[in-house]
Amino acid sequence: MGKAPVEDRGTSSAASGLAAAAAGVASKPLPGAENAGKPGYYTVKPGDTLIRIGLETGQSWKDIARWSNLENANLIEVGQVLRIAPPATGAAAVAADTGVVTRPVTAPAVAPVTSGSAAKPAPVAPSAASAPAAATAEDEVPFIWPASGSLLAGFDEVRNKGYDIAGKAGDPVLAAADVRVVYSGAGLRGYGNLVILKHNNTYLTAYAHNQTLLVKEDQTVRRGQKIAEMGSTDADRVKLHFEIRRQGKPVDPARYLPSR
């Protein structure tokens, strides 16, 4: 004899309750939504990671996490609005300039943000993707070449955002100028073992595909100091991919490096 069907009289009401709760969550504004489109703020897009946002906006991912009050740098959502510029005055601005992190944040993982079921991103005004501060003469940096090899590929705004420099595995990679290390790791897809250095409020440099990283985040290094060893991580051959970014935007290194 077959068993009589079991009826759960609470299922329907429970499901309705869950649906209502889900609708409430979906309609809840994402953190920082009130700042969408404002200068000095950035709206998270599909594929973003905090490390990539830092590189694209010329900031340290740790500073962005702190300015945006993130407890965990992995927990960013499409449509969330992050602060990418320090407050104009006060202790937070001083901390940002000196590299002091006032509270710990969890390092971001490699996986980028996906759209999934997250809220649709709010429209972003062109000025919101980067800090509005203009470069001054004091921000100009005397760069040197980060490696001694020949040039494999020059700058192209679409296909190559910097220089590809030839070399052998283990060749020294040098800091192009005095600087603070704002990233050292392998968390940015396509760059392999990567070092990002922040020289001032205007300029960042990036050093990709390394075999070995020799510096840590928040460390201060000097121009010409060995910061990594050349390699082929996330690349088709041994090379250094080197970028100079001005307020987050890649620029042609030929305009900044001495002739040789």
Side-chain angles (χ1 to χ4, degrees), residues 2 4 11 42 60 62 78 96 104 118 123 158 160 171 187 194 216 227 232:
T11 301
Y42 178 94
S60 160
K62 285 187 177 181
V78 173
V158 177
N160 194 45
D171 279 357
L194 170 69
K216 298 180 179 180
I227 58 173
S232 58

Side-chain angles (χ1 to χ4, degrees), residues 6-95:
V6 177
E7 180 180 359
D8 184 352
R9 297 183 182 275
T11 301
S12 178
S13 59
S16 298
L18 289 173
V25 170
S27 62
K28 183 180 179 181
L30 289 170
E34 69 279 5
N35 295 314
K38 295 180 181 178
Y41 291 88
Y42 178 94
T43 301
V44 178
K45 305 185 300 293
D48 276 341
T49 65
L50 207 61
I51 299 166
R52 182 171 292 280
I53 293 170
L55 183 63
E56 296 291 340
T57 60
Q59 300 291 2
S60 160
W61 71 265
K62 285 187 177 181
D63 286 341
I64 295 173
R66 181 162 48 80
W67 299 333
S68 304
N69 296 315
L70 299 181
E71 294 289 345
N72 186 338
N74 291 307
L75 301 181
I76 59 174
E77 302 178 68
V78 173
Q80 181 176 354
V81 179
L82 304 176
R83 182 162 196 153
I84 57 166
T89 59
V94 174

Side-chain angles (χ1 to χ4, degrees), residues 89-161:
T89 59
V94 174
D97 186 58
T98 60
V100 176
V101 178
T102 56
R103 61 179 178 80
V105 291
T106 304
V110 177
V113 176
T114 56
S115 55
S117 59
K120 183 180 179 181
V124 185
S127 61
S130 62
T136 65
E138 290 76 14
D139 286 333
E140 296 306 313
V141 177
F143 290 110
I144 64 170
W145 283 77
S148 59
S150 59
L151 189 63
L152 295 172
F155 177 80
D156 183 284
E157 289 186 2
V158 177
R159 293 175 294 180
N160 194 45
K161 298 181 184 301

